[in-house]
Every structure is written in structure tokens, then in C-alpha cells.
Amino acid sequence: MSNNGGAPYGPDEPTSFGLQPPRPPVAVPHPGNPYAAPTQVVPDRQAPQEPGTGRLIAGRYRLLGKLGHGGMGTVWRAKDETVDREVAVKEPRVPDHLPERERANVFERMRREARAAARLDHPAVVNVHDVAVVDGQPWIVMELVRGRSLGDALQEGTIGAREAARIGLEVLGALESAHAAGILHRDVKPDNVMLGTGDRVVLTDFGIAQIEGETNLTDTGGFVGSPEFIAPERVVGQRPGPASDLWSLGVVLYAATEGVSPFRRNNTPATLQSVLNATPAAPNAATGPLADAINGLLDKEPARRPDAARVRTLLEQAARPPEPAPTQVVRIAEPGGRSIRVGRKGWIGIGAVVVAAVLAAYLVVADPFAGPLPDNWEKKDLKALGATVAVPAGYQKTVPKPDAAKDEHWVQFTDLSGSLWISLTLAKKAEDTSGEIAGSAAAEMYDDDASYRQSGSYGMDMDSEPAPKSKPDPTTYKDRKAALNTITYSTTDTEYPRPREIQVLYYKTKSGDMYKFMIGYPGKGDFTERGREVARTAIANLDIDTL
């Protein structure tokens, strides 16, 4: 019961969730969500009806319109004419060319979906009303959840930590109910978490759930589910348990707060490798108990993951509103020796003058790049890239050749020795016809890192022996989310391999353009600290015209 009708994970899914400021989820209709129902339907009398609209199923369910479809079925909005209520009806969708055995497996999986959900009595599990058999095929009739999926919400922005913890608590409750009934969900992901009206959260799609005691429908040697959310033990073929579903919940919470799925890569094999071996960057937006819950759930070893009771305690702490600061009463002497009581607001007003003075003094000494550039530095206005960069005086400028492709937007400045260089590259959204720009700066950073692991190079003279080391780190640029990666490596010079280090700042504008600001320098020796100083100064003084 996923929001695409049960479509399997594939290359058409977005590469990441966009990193945007937290905003509260709003329960609104979404055209890609098969459970979403508009609060008001205004029929377009000019538009032709979809084939099948108006059909009566099992003598009582009138199909009103399609809500979504995927690999396993089409979900319809329908009216139960017997009790006069709207429902969601999932129609089996099986290609005609499938062998009879595989068709039977699809039908059996849908029956299990209905049985698994029907066995659970929890407000965070979608209610199954009926299974209507039409021409030997099961049609699942369930409640119509008005809202949208968490996956849809994350396409618009990340979720605040408290809201993520609240959603996590509801999903955890659904999983606890399922596990108590001997059911493993096996496909917990944002697209299967519905955000309904009235702050309701519903876990959907038990289509690949494993019910204790029933035969596995999965082909020998294969697995089902979305790779980036599958627990490591499932990837290597070990028997899953409740801890496997809890791992998936940890990935969902990470993606909801950080805006990027921690293990998603460019293809399925790379994604599975990252699930097994990659350590995600520490949560940035999630702190305190929520970060503890995420970090614990993403432990590669199932036995070391916190159990549901411990996760519930942490999420309850993270979802709890902050306690108001206690009122402070201070006595200040009046002229003549008397004293007066000052409450918290008054104390803030009196202290603001002192705090402002201290803060002003701090800013003068704490930010060495807030004032004029260091001596022998100069700013370069790069109108073609919509940015201004600062470089040491004397660096030589290199730009694309006149006959280069029109989508080559970059510039590089190199010192005369060739040891230090600064480059800025711009990938324009308007020219990204193949969808190569990731959904966020962090996602672009992880994609680049994964591409290196696959191809062996960032496009520079990196030797694969020994393998370069990356240190990805979420950061900010002008108070907006960005990403910074530091890579150490050896050059491919067989006779005289040189240790090198580069820093790459990733920043994605509101319009979808992606900037990559790179500084390269020797990784060891007298010029290493100089290179790092150049990197700090250049990054601090980067100025992009349109954020």
C-alpha cells in the first residue's frame, strides 16, 4: 500500500530529499499519493473520464477516480454504496505476459497485505475493510487516508526535530503492534508513512510483510524492499527480525531531519555497499535524544541496536516541548540605597546593552575574515558564474576554451608553482536535462564520493592505491545548508607520487543551481598549512550573487 501503488525501487526515484528549512507538514491533497483525497472535488465536465471510472466492484464499491498506480496495482478512490462512505480500493495490476506462477504470487502477496494489516489494531496502521474477489483477483478495500506521504513532504523541505520525533513515535507504535502479532513490515520508508489530517500518522503497505509461519514468496537469492532502507543483515541474507524494521525507522528519521537519505547512491549495488560499509555523517539537525535514537538504530550489528522501549523513551524526550525558562528575579540598587525587583523580561532588557557590547567586541576578534582581505589577496568578479571569489595575488586564471560546450561553467586560479589552486564550478539547473544535479548539497557530496568509489577518480590525478580518504561534513554557507568534504589522496605519478589534499564546498541555490568550490594543495610538507589557510580564507570570502 505504497503511495505509488506498490512500484518497486527504481532509477526514476529522486536521488535525495532537498535540504530546505524545516516546516510543519500540511495535510493537503497530492496528485502522486494514492491515499490522498481532495477535500473538495470540482469535476471538470470537459475532461474525459478515465477508463474504469464508474465501475461497480463486488456489487458495492463504485470507482470514482484513480489515485495512483505502480508495479503491483492501481489505487482508486471509491464509494462504498452500502454504507455511504469513501474508501480506497487497490486493484491488482499484473502484466499479461507474466507466467501464471508469478501472477499467482502477486495475488497471494496482495492477500497477505490485507491479512497482515487486518490483523493489527492500531491507529497508525491503515484499516482494511474488505477483500473483494473479482474474476479470481483480490481487490483490497481500505480506509481512505486524507493527506500525503512523508516522502512527498520531504520533497518540499526537511521536518523539524520535534515533528520528526512525533512521527517516529507513531511509526514505532505501528511496528510494535506488528511485531507483537508476528509480522515484519520489511519496507519502512518515507513513501509508506502517511501524514493524515488531525496530525494522524499511518504506516501503509504491508504488501511485502513477512508473517510468522507463512512461506516466503521472495525468489531464491533475492530480496524485496527499497535498498537504501534495508538493514545490513538483510543485505547479506541473514534472517531479519524486529531490529531490521527499527533500522529502517532510523534511516527514515535521518532522512526526515537531514534532508538526505544516508545510504542512497547512484545505483542499487552502490547503495547496498553503503548500507553494509558506509558510516553516515553525524546528524546535524537532529541533536540530543533524537540523535541518540538515530545513531543507535543505524548500528550495523542488530544486537547492539536499542529495542523499541528504549527508542520510545528517546523519541518521547525529543518530541517533548521545551520547558519555559524560569523567571529570574534580580535586585538592582536604586539611588539612595533601596533595591527594586526586576523580572525576566526586565533583566533581558537591561542585559541586552551589555550583551550587545560584548557580542560586538567578540565579532571583531572571532571572525578573521569578516573585515578586509589579508594582504596580497584580491577579489575576482566572475559574472559568468554569478559569483565573486577571493584569491592570492599573482594566481593565474584558467577558463574553458572558446570551443568548449556551452554548459561548461568553471574557472580555476593557480599559483605559479602549480602546487595550490582554487576552482569554482557551476552546474545550472536549466541545463541539467539528464537530472544529474542532486536534491541537496549533501546529496551531491555523497554522490560524488560514491562515483569516486565506483570509477576511481574525481576527475583528477588520484591514485586508487592507497584509496583516498574522505571526510564529509554538513556545514552552512551564509546561514543556509551546505556540505564540505576534505579528501586526502596520492597522485598517480608512478615515480614520484605526491600526497595531496582538497577541500570541496557544495552549495545549492534556491533555483536549483549547484556550486562546487574546490581548493587543492599538498597533503604533507611545508605548504600544507599554507594550503589549508588559503582554503579557509577562500571559502570564508566566497560570494554567490543569488542564494
Side-chain angles (χ1 to χ4, degrees):
M1 287 179 284
S2 66
N3 78 328
N4 61 2
Y9 177 95
D12 293 335
E13 292 195 9
T15 56
S16 70
F17 303 112
L19 284 169
Q20 299 180 20
R23 65 185 72 183
V26 181
V28 297
H30 191 283
N33 177 2
Y35 298 102
T39 55
Q40 181 179 7
V41 179
V42 181
D44 183 356
R45 301 186 184 278
Q46 303 300 320
Q49 286 188 337
E50 296 172 313
T53 301
R55 181 182 176 187
L56 190 65
I57 302 300
R60 63 183 291 184
Y61 306 111
R62 182 77 62 183
L63 304 184
L64 302 179
K66 290 182 180 179
L67 293 172
H69 60 82
M72 284 183 60
T74 299
V75 181
W76 294 80
R77 182 171 62 90
K79 184 176 182 180
D80 184 347
E81 296 186 342
T82 301
V83 296
D84 192 24
R85 68 177 173 187
E86 288 195 352
V87 294
V89 179
K90 188 170 185 177
E91 171 191 9
R93 187 182 184 193
V94 184
D96 294 334
H97 66 271
L98 278 185
E100 184 60 32
R101 178 180 176 182
E102 293 186 29
R103 293 170 62 87
N105 277 350
V106 172
F107 297 152
E108 178 59 23
R109 182 169 292 171
M110 291 189 68
R111 293 187 184 96
R112 290 191 181 190
E113 175 181 3
R115 286 199 299 271
R119 286 172 61 173
L120 305 180
D121 183 14
H122 193 279
V125 176
V126 67
N127 291 321
V128 173
H129 300 314
D130 190 11
V131 176
V133 179
V134 179
D135 297 329
Q137 301 182 12
W139 292 55
I140 303 176
V141 182
M142 54 204 144
E143 68 172 313
L144 185 65
V145 180
R146 301 178 185 272
R148 60 176 178 174
S149 75
L150 177 59
D152 291 330
L154 292 181
Q155 296 303 319
E156 299 180 3
T158 54
I159 303 298
R162 282 179 53 201
E163 179 65 9
R166 185 190 72 82
I167 293 172
L169 278 169
E170 296 298 322
V171 176
L172 177 64
L175 291 176
E176 287 177 303
S177 177
H179 296 162
I183 298 171
L184 298 180
H185 188 280
R186 301 202 301 169
D187 199 18
V188 179
K189 60 183 180 180
D191 285 345
N192 287 340
V193 177
M194 295 295 302
L195 307 178
T197 56
D199 289 336
R200 188 184 176 197
V201 177
V202 179
L203 179 62
T204 69
D205 206 336
F206 283 80
I208 64 171
Q210 181 176 340
I211 303 176
E212 189 173 8
E214 291 194 355
T215 306
N216 191 356
L217 290 176
T218 307
D219 293 335
T220 302
F223 62 84
V224 289
S226 302
E228 66 195 284
F229 296 97
I230 289 178
E233 59 270 21
R234 287 191 59 205
V235 175
V236 297
Q238 296 177 3
R239 184 178 180 84
S244 303
D245 279 345
L246 294 181
W247 160 281
S248 302
L249 174 59
V251 182
V252 169
L253 291 173
Y254 189 107
T257 53
E258 301 303 307
V260 58
S261 182
F263 302 110
R264 179 177 289 186
R265 301 296 186 261
N266 290 333
N267 53 61
T268 297
T271 297
L272 296 177
Q273 276 295 330
S274 69
V275 168
L276 289 174
N277 302 313
T279 300
N284 185 38
T287 59
L290 181 57
D292 292 342
I294 293 173
N295 291 330
L297 290 173
L298 297 187
D299 195 307
K300 305 289 187 187
E301 178 55 51
R304 291 199 298 261
R305 290 173 208 151
D307 60 14
R310 175 58 179 162
V311 175
R312 176 168 294 280
T313 298
L314 291 171
L315 293 182
E316 286 175 345
Q317 293 174 1
R320 192 175 300 144
E323 296 182 1
T327 301
Q328 299 180 10
V329 177
V330 181
R331 293 188 178 274
I332 300 177
E334 284 187 315
R338 293 188 307 154
S339 62
I340 58 174
R341 290 167 56 87
V342 181
R344 180 171 176 269
K345 291 184 179 180
W347 173 245
I348 291 175
I350 295 170
V353 177
V354 178
V355 172
V358 173
L359 182 59
Y362 170 79
L363 290 176
V364 170
V365 298
D367 187 357
F369 308 121
L373 285 174
D375 292 340
N376 298 322
W377 278 68
E378 53 191 14
K379 290 195 172 184
K380 304 290 186 178
D381 186 5
L382 310 175
K383 289 184 172 59
L385 299 181
T388 300
V389 300
V391 299
Y395 274 37
Q396 293 183 328
K397 180 179 179 181
T398 304
V399 296
K401 295 179 180 180
D403 59 347
K406 68 175 182 177
D407 59 349
E408 290 190 14
H409 309 291
W410 61 269
V411 65
Q412 180 167 306
F413 298 89
T414 310
D415 77 326
L416 295 179
S417 71
S419 298
L420 283 77
W421 52 263
I422 300 170
S423 75
L424 180 66
T425 303
L426 168 62
K428 292 188 175 182
K429 177 67 173 179
E431 298 172 358
D432 185 31
T433 56
S434 58
E436 294 183 359
I437 299 177
S440 68
E444 187 80 8
M445 174 177 66
Y446 287 121
D447 282 353
D448 277 358
D449 212 39
S451 295
Y452 164 72
R453 304 297 172 193
Q454 191 173 12
S455 65
S457 176
Y458 271 88
M460 293 172 287
D461 58 342
M462 287 187 179
D463 194 355
S464 58
E465 295 292 342
K469 296 181 180 180
S470 295
K471 187 181 178 182
D473 182 24
T475 186
T476 59
Y477 169 75
K478 296 188 183 298
D479 296 327
R480 289 174 55 83
K481 288 188 176 181
L484 179 66
N485 199 3
T486 302
I487 305 137
T488 56
Y489 65 99
S490 294
T491 64
T492 54
D493 189 333
T494 56
E495 293 188 25
Y496 302 104
R498 304 290 187 183
R500 297 285 297 175
E501 186 170 291
I502 61 173
Q503 294 187 34
V504 190
L505 176 72
Y506 296 81
Y507 177 73
K508 188 175 183 181
T509 67
K510 290 182 178 179
S511 61
D513 295 340
M514 182 69 71
Y515 282 91
K516 299 181 185 180
F517 193 42
M518 307 177 69
I519 304 94
Y521 46 88
K524 291 182 181 179
D526 296 339
F527 292 99
T528 302
E529 284 306 317
R530 169 60 180 165
R532 291 170 180 168
E533 177 188 346
V534 168
R536 286 192 297 267
T537 306
I539 291 173
N541 286 279
L542 174 65
D543 189 8
I544 297 173
D545 297 344
T546 304
L547 298 180

